[in-house]
Amino acid sequence: MAALDKPTHMAASLDITGTANLLLDIGLARVDSCVLTAGALSRLDREADLTTLKGIARLLLRSRPPGWLRAVVSDGRLLPELIPQRDFDAIAWLGDDLEEIVFTAHQQVYGAKDEHLRKMLGDAGEIAIMSALRRDGHNPRHVSLTSDRFGYDIEHKEGFQTVGLEIKAAVNATAARALISRNEFDAAKRMGERWKLIQVTFSSRVIASGRVTAGDVERIRELPSHSLVEMAPVEKEGFRWTEAAEIRPSETEWKPSNLQVGEEFEALLSSDEV
């Protein structure tokens, strides 16, 4: 409590009682005969310099994640515009380290779990389209189960031609964009109209329930290969995209799909892996 008696502007601006209660609440301090800080915090109390303060900021973000932390990282990128302005102003002192500190905290708190959820949601999308194709009398092959080399997830026959379908699963919050690998783009360019991107949009309630059924499918739509190819910048000397790109097709570029998922469709979004 000695800090309360110091006649400095810094001490006057500190909410010592509130900070102490926060540290006790999140387990970074405990009261015995005196206040004892946890090891992770005590290692940061040697010197009150900027590096130490940033270390404390990292620790607090991990220990008590703000409500916006999960949403501000998408597809490996920080979206600072999703941080409430009041909170953004409060952490602006992190300066050039703000993006790295927030991104790292997100990965430490949610990274593995969210990545696993995205994979399970993607798998559910592929299973849903397999169900829809069988419902229409096709005999589709789920080729992505054996290899990524095809540049699409599912193939089936239309007459004498093989059609490749790249499946992207989404919920409403993520449906405006999709990640396309270079291999998928090359397949779309090579196969022309025999390649399509199919987006399956599920209800956001599946994230909480951990289970997807036919009733959770809100929309299925298609993006023709030529639309994807036209979106990509022309490669010139000094420019070449390699691994992946994010696309954001306009609503007019998407085409409604006639595919309907069978009533038997069901997929789980959880496993023992994470």
Side-chain angles (χ1 to χ4, degrees), residues 10-38:
M10 177 65 76
S13 67
L14 290 177
D15 178 7
I16 302 298
T17 302
T19 300
N21 287 332
L22 170 65
L23 296 179
L24 290 170
D25 186 43
I26 61 180
L28 290 177
R30 61 185 176 87
V31 176
D32 199 344
S33 56
C34 60
V35 176
L36 301 174
T37 55

Side-chain angles (χ1 to χ4, degrees), residues 6 13 41 60 175 203 224 234 274:
K6 294 182 178 179
S13 67
L41 182 59
L60 290 175
S203 166
V234 177
V274 175

